[in-house]
Amino acid sequence: MLRFLKIRHLAVIDACEVEFEPGFNVLTGETGAGKSILVEAVGLLLGGRASGDLVRTGEDAASIEAMFESGGEELVVRREITAQGRSRAFVNGALATAGALKDLSGRLIELHGQHEHQTLLDPATHLDVVDTFGRLEALIAPTDAAFAAMRAIADEMARVRRAIADRDARLDLVTYQLSELDKAALKSIGPGGQVGEDAELAATRQVLVNAERVERLCAESYASLYESDDAILAGLGGVWRRVGELAALDPTFQPYLDARDGIKSQLEDLAVFLRRYADGIEASPARLQQIEERLALLERLKRKHGPTLADVVAKRNALRRELADLERGDERLAELERGHAAARAAYVTAAGALGQERRRVASALARQLVGLLGELAMEQTRFEVRFHAEPLPEAAWTARGTDAAEFFVSPNPGEELRPLARIVSGGELSRIMLAIKTLTATSRLGFSDAAERPPSASAPGLIFDEVDAGIGGRVADVVGRKLRALGSAFQVLCITHLPQIAASADTHFQIEKRVERGRTRTTVARLDAARRVDELARMLGGEAVSDGLRASAREMLRDRQAKAKSESESPGAASHASGRERGARRAREASSSGDSPEPGRVGVGRHARGRSGPRESKKKT
């Protein structure tokens, strides 16, 4: 769950600190007050795209920092964005990439943006919903791999066919270029990445150019070690005798005395190497000329095929393969066609298994979605996931298989099922999105029932930005109760303009925007009971808040609290513990038998959780 959020210099927010609670948290405020900026800040922490335009005017950088709780451990995530658009991310103080943040977000929180419900109108997104609900990654992965293998062979086939098409002209050019490179007798560079021939020759040239000096230095060094009157090796004997006497007086000299044989051996090896090195120098003008010519040849080849000698060697090897393809193009093409047929068959098999499981999962999704929509005042809704009768044509195959699916819905009795995009109103679309997100989140995170959730402080988070679009009245009341119930399995953060939804929350935050000294500033306040009544009254009646509106707000809060208490004390809630035990037993049996459980039906109920009493924490920003 998201425990703490701190924002500095982001858009209209100068400085803001918010401490969230388990359960259902709601954020309200006037349109344009900056509510969605908090959601965008969380999105940046989860690896969202950063832009310098997000930095508050006049500031050099913005920062967002959050503390998450997951699996009993605390995780601190921080992101900094400069006015130039550069960003850095940190996880528990260590640098992290945006990709790492995205990977991390999967187990921390899910963010559902302000206009995300509109994506349901695109049938291309419907198959992803089925896959997410069914947790079909184990079947998608082999399909993806088989598709990649098939595409790689198809690309190679296309290349060979192009090569065959202009084989004669290309054959002459490849033969000429390869002849030039083969004549150069280049040395292959192994996988270890050892120094290339050009570097070795450059080092040899350096020695030959300075051969006289090198020989002199070697001779002088050898003489100092062995041949001079005061030779080092000869004088070491006296040194070691004196060190031996010192060691007898003070044991701290003993390690140096023990190392004498090694030192002597190293100096003797050095002396031998100096003599051999000097004797091995072939300081002839002919040898130097030969190296110069070889280096000049390698430089020409690098300018033509480089920029490095390794690139030249790679070019030579590529030309050899291409020449082989040209000379036996028909044979190579037939070989590739056989490989492509085998890869295609593997892909069709994998995609078929995925499609079969998708149809089973789609049936469970439709059944559970209809039940959940019934709880959202869409009791008569019928829903169906329809797949194309035939697989997609081969040109339309993708890494996700050969299926195409679309959601069909009938929200009213007597009406036939029709495509979702052509039938639903804005309010119906919002509720369908809420139901789908509830199902996919509970399935992905492994909760089939609120009673099986982890402790509330460790529950993953769900953020909904204006899920109330297009709804009101009784439906808003129902959606508020559903979000409150969802808060028993998850931490829910919801931005709303509807008092019915706000009144159902466990914790209420108010976001205000004001102008001070010519600058726009946003404040975030956690509301106590009295201020919550005032905010609900504002949401009910607008700018002028009267005693009558306050009375209505109090009544609304009392009514939501009474309904929540009634639901928690209902017979269904009383039997919840036995349902949890049965669910755990089924999960253990499925685990021991190796069977994959069907994506679970969501039945989230209210449970008591420890929370501090009403308090206000207002930070000026």
Side-chain angles (χ1 to χ4, degrees):
M1 63 165 280
L2 175 60
R3 172 64 75 187
F4 177 78
L5 179 65
K6 179 179 178 181
I7 303 172
R8 288 184 59 83
H9 308 322
L10 186 71
V12 296
I13 298 179
D14 186 31
C16 168
E17 295 183 4
V18 188
E19 188 173 347
F20 294 103
E21 295 291 339
F24 181 22
N25 298 256
V26 73
L27 298 96
T28 63
E30 295 285 357
T31 300
K35 299 183 296 299
S36 295
I37 295 176
L38 268 73
V39 177
E40 186 162 5
V42 176
L44 289 169
L45 287 174
L46 302 182
R49 184 180 179 85
S51 168
D53 296 335
L54 296 172
V55 179
R56 184 172 170 82
T57 301
E59 301 294 344
D60 295 329
S63 66
I64 310 104
E65 188 170 4
M67 178 185 293
F68 295 92
E69 290 188 24
S70 176
E73 63 175 338
E74 291 184 346
L75 200 66
V76 177
V77 182
R78 176 181 173 87
R79 191 153 187 201
E80 300 173 350
I81 305 166
T82 68
Q84 292 75 35
R86 295 187 295 272
S87 73
R88 296 190 303 170
F90 303 85
V91 176
N92 285 343
L95 274 170
T97 64
L101 294 183
K102 289 181 179 178
D103 294 340
L104 191 66
S105 68
R107 64 185 178 94
L108 296 178
I109 203 160
E110 282 194 8
L111 195 156
H112 308 299
Q114 195 171 106
H115 307 292
E116 189 172 345
H117 59 280
Q118 296 294 330
T119 60
L120 278 181
L121 300 179
D122 182 6
T125 65
H126 296 176
L127 205 59
D128 290 336
V129 173
V130 175
D131 292 345
T132 303
F133 172 74
R135 290 175 287 175
L136 300 182
E137 294 84 0
L139 291 174
I140 293 173
T143 304
D144 189 350
F147 181 78
M150 183 178 68
R151 284 294 300 271
I153 296 176
D155 291 344
E156 181 67 7
M157 286 171 58
R159 188 191 68 79
V160 172
R161 287 193 177 104
R162 289 193 301 269
I164 291 174
D166 58 349
R167 175 163 41 190
D168 293 340
R170 183 65 181 169
L171 187 60
D172 291 340
L173 178 60
V174 170
T175 301
Y176 169 76
Q177 291 180 333
L178 187 57
S179 174
E180 180 185 32
L181 292 172
D182 283 341
K183 186 177 180 181
L186 300 172
K187 297 178 181 179
S188 296
I189 297 178
Q194 64 265 32
V195 177
E197 182 187 0
D198 52 347
E200 292 178 354
L201 290 175
T204 303
R205 179 179 60 182
Q206 179 75 5
V207 173
L208 294 179
V209 169
N210 298 278
E212 183 178 346
R213 183 183 176 196
V214 170
E215 290 177 343
R216 176 175 56 79
L217 290 172
C218 287
E220 291 174 353
S221 299
Y222 182 81
S224 296
L225 287 170
Y226 256 125
E227 294 180 342
S228 63
D229 294 338
D230 54 348
I232 294 172
L233 284 170
L236 277 177
V239 173
W240 293 126
R241 282 194 301 273
R242 287 186 285 274
V243 172
E245 293 177 10
L246 288 169
L249 298 173
D250 186 348
T252 57
F253 286 93
Q254 188 62 41
Y256 299 98
L257 189 63
D258 294 340
R260 62 184 173 184
D261 291 338
I263 294 173
K264 179 181 179 183
S265 176
Q266 289 181 350
L267 290 175
E268 289 174 345
D269 289 344
L270 175 60
V272 172
F273 177 76
L274 287 169
R275 168 165 284 186
R276 288 178 178 175
Y277 186 83
D279 292 343
I281 296 176
E282 186 183 346
S284 67
R287 173 61 176 158
L288 182 60
Q289 179 64 25
Q290 180 184 12
I291 290 176
E292 295 283 5
E293 291 175 354
R294 180 64 176 175
L295 282 171
L297 171 62
L298 295 180
E299 285 300 320
R300 286 197 301 272
L301 292 176
K302 286 195 290 185
R303 286 195 298 270
K304 189 172 182 180
H305 303 290
T308 67
L309 191 60
D311 295 325
V312 178
V313 173
K315 176 68 173 180
R316 180 199 64 189
N317 295 338
L319 288 172
R320 286 176 177 174
R321 291 193 299 270
E322 185 175 358
L323 182 61
D325 289 342
L326 290 170
E327 292 176 342
R328 61 181 189 94
D330 296 334
E331 179 184 343
R332 174 62 174 157
L333 184 58
E335 178 185 334
L336 287 171
E337 287 174 343
R338 290 191 296 272
H340 184 267
R344 184 183 184 279
Y347 170 77
V348 170
T349 299
L354 174 60
Q356 183 177 357
E357 184 63 12
R358 276 173 172 160
R359 284 156 177 79
R360 186 192 70 80
V361 167
S363 177
L365 170 66
R367 184 171 63 254
Q368 295 187 35
L369 189 65
V370 167
L372 202 52
L373 289 173
E375 301 176 26
L376 294 171
M378 295 179 68
E379 298 86 351
Q380 304 298 322
T381 299
R382 291 184 297 139
F383 183 89
E384 185 178 311
V385 183
R386 291 187 179 177
F387 290 83
H388 289 191
E390 297 294 332
L392 293 172
E394 188 164 349
W397 289 357
T398 70
R400 299 185 71 85
T402 61
D403 297 314
E406 185 172 1
F407 293 161
F408 278 67
V409 65
S410 172
N412 302 304
E415 296 293 329
E416 65 180 12
L417 289 162
R418 292 179 181 172
L420 178 67
R422 292 167 44 194
I423 199 69
V424 295
S425 65
E428 290 167 341
L429 190 63
S430 294
R431 281 176 283 169
I432 292 174
M433 171 60 84
L434 175 59
I436 286 175
K437 290 302 181 183
T438 300
L439 289 174
T440 55
T442 52
S443 175
R444 184 180 66 82
L445 296 167
F447 306 134
S448 60
D449 194 285
E452 299 173 24
R453 73 189 191 284
S456 56
S458 297
L462 298 174
I463 298 181
F464 294 100
D465 190 357
E466 298 190 10
V467 72
D468 54 15
I471 65 174
R474 180 180 72 90
V475 173
D477 193 28
V478 171
V479 170
R481 291 202 302 271
K482 174 52 66 178
L483 287 170
R484 181 181 176 90
L486 194 61
S488 66
F490 302 92
Q491 181 198 41
V492 176
L493 277 63
C494 179
I495 291 176
T496 183
H497 291 285
L498 297 180
Q500 298 96 318
I501 292 178
S504 297
D506 298 307
T507 311
H508 192 154
F509 297 90
Q510 182 186 22
I511 302 176
E512 288 185 302
K513 182 172 69 175
R514 63 187 66 176
V515 178
E516 297 178 358
R517 300 176 184 176
R519 294 298 304 273
T520 301
R521 298 181 183 276
T522 292
T523 60
V524 182
R526 175 172 175 163
L527 302 182
D528 58 16
R531 294 193 63 191
R532 189 175 185 185
V533 168
D534 288 341
E535 174 64 3
L536 289 175
R538 181 198 65 77
M539 297 174 74
L540 284 167
E543 185 175 355
V545 177
S546 64
D547 290 340
L549 288 172
R550 290 189 179 93
S552 297
R554 292 190 189 94
E555 183 180 357
M556 180 179 289
L557 280 172
R558 286 195 300 269
D559 178 63
R560 299 306 183 278
Q561 292 169 358
K563 286 182 178 179
K565 183 177 180 181
S566 173
E567 289 173 0
S568 66
E569 295 176 352
S570 65
S575 63
H576 210 53
S578 62
R580 175 178 61 182
E581 185 176 349
R582 290 193 301 272
R585 184 168 61 251
R586 288 195 301 269
R588 288 194 298 268
E589 292 170 353
S591 175
S592 62
S593 65
D595 296 333
S596 299
E598 180 180 0
R601 184 178 297 275
V602 179
V604 286
R606 299 301 301 163
H607 293 268
R609 62 172 63 83
R611 289 196 304 272
S612 58
R615 61 189 176 93
E616 179 183 351
S617 60
K618 182 171 182 178
K619 300 292 180 181
K620 187 174 182 180
T621 61

